[in-house]
Amino acid sequence: MSKSLIVISAPSGAGKTTITKRILEQHPSDLIFSISATTRAKRPGERDGVDYYFLSRKEFEDLIKHNGLIEYEEIFGNYYGTPVEEIDRARDLGKRLLFDIDVKGGLSIRKKFPEESQLIFIAPPTMEILRERLTSRKTEPPEVIQRRLDRASMEMQMAEQYDHRVINDDLDQAIGEVEKLIFEGSTK
Ligand code: ADP
Ligand code: 5GP
């Protein structure tokens, strides 16, 4: 049975944005992206209401207060959370919802929707390659990169509770494996 809530998580820099974007482009009639709310600053090229809903801390805290989020976490000093409306939006469109959220958020989704969720973890080939990818992306200063690497080992451990694990070494192969998991339930 294919699941309606597909969670893709990975340590920052492992390639999950690249992979989810490609999969969404290839399957527009089946999948939509769950647009999270965040208080972090917009990166070059990111669009409000497309990549994230970029909110102030006050706006985000109001959402928390009014139960507007299915789950949220504070990560790297910023809030990130899934607005309740995203699930309704996917249901109304008759599409499956793809989440790019952290491991704790993924486990919260599964707790709330155990029958409907599929949790996929993207791992980097090595921690050294993870550092190289974060550095070459050039979107964060060195101290922020170090914080993201420090968090990665905790995420790799928690990911043992995920349904599937894909190593993102060769990008096209990793995308193929994630597609197979989403559409066929296994990589075989
Ligand atoms: P995340 O969303 O997990 O933080 P990104 O998708 O932004 O990560 O990827 C981090 C960097 O690594 C980007 O510059 C991206 O182009 C690059 N990247 C992603 N997958 C691969 C891969 N398989 N091989 C080499 N570089 C990759
Ligand atoms: P980034 O700043 O690189 O876009 O994201 C940082 C981390 O926050 C990533 O692990 C990303 O998956 C996670 N994230 C993004 N949106 C959400 C969300 O709505 N909820 C949770 N729990 N994590 C999120």
Side-chain angles (χ1 to χ4, degrees):
M1 239 299 268
S2 59
K3 309 285 186 178
S4 57
L5 307 176
I6 303 147
V7 175
I8 302 201
S9 303
S12 178
K16 83 188 153 325
T17 307
T18 310
I19 291 172
T20 50
K21 278 206 168 135
R22 279 269 291 276
I23 289 179
L24 286 159
E25 276 164 17
Q26 284 162 13
H27 304 279
S29 52
D30 297 310
L31 305 172
I32 59 164
F33 181 60
S34 172
I35 305 167
S36 294
T38 184
T39 57
R40 89 145 156 72
K42 213 188 275 180
R43 291 186 188 135
E46 284 184 329
R47 285 174 296 162
D48 189 30
V50 176
D51 299 290
Y52 280 106
Y53 294 108
F54 293 96
L55 305 181
S56 66
R57 274 189 98 78
K58 164 90 176 64
E59 287 169 327
F60 199 102
E61 283 165 358
D62 281 346
L63 264 185
I64 298 173
K65 219 187 291 170
H66 296 106
N67 300 318
L69 299 168
I70 300 167
E71 60 75 36
Y72 72 93
E73 298 291 334
E74 193 158 6
I75 307 168
F76 313 126
N78 286 303
Y79 283 127
Y80 293 82
T82 305
V84 173
E85 288 83 18
E86 290 303 287
I87 299 228
D88 298 333
R89 187 165 69 90
R91 281 205 183 117
D92 290 349
L93 291 166
K95 295 187 186 186
R96 299 162 72 196
L97 192 57
L98 198 66
F99 298 79
D100 168 347
I101 63 178
D102 89 314
V103 177
K104 287 185 184 167
L107 294 172
S108 302
I109 296 284
R110 178 158 72 191
K111 207 166 176 190
K112 286 201 172 165
F113 306 99
E115 301 302 321
E116 291 159 71
S117 52
Q118 180 182 29
L119 272 51
I120 303 171
F121 187 77
I122 313 276
T126 64
M127 292 300 274
E128 203 37 53
I129 291 176
L130 183 64
R131 179 188 295 278
E132 281 166 22
R133 286 188 190 161
L134 274 171
T135 309
S136 65
R137 192 170 68 185
K138 297 194 176 80
T139 51
E140 280 87 15
E143 64 276 15
V144 176
I145 290 179
Q146 190 53 49
R147 256 197 290 163
R148 288 178 178 245
L149 287 169
D150 292 343
R151 197 168 195 275
S153 41
M154 177 276 281
E155 290 176 292
M156 307 273 258
Q157 271 185 10
M158 284 186 73
E160 286 169 16
Q161 300 172 61
Y162 267 45
D163 302 314
H164 314 281
R165 178 189 172 92
V166 170
I167 296 176
N168 178 20
D169 189 354
D170 177 82
L171 181 61
D172 289 329
Q173 191 182 330
I175 290 170
E177 283 183 29
V178 174
E179 278 181 315
K180 277 215 164 86
L181 290 171
I182 294 174
F183 293 101
E184 296 168 26
S186 81
T187 51
K188 304 286 172 276

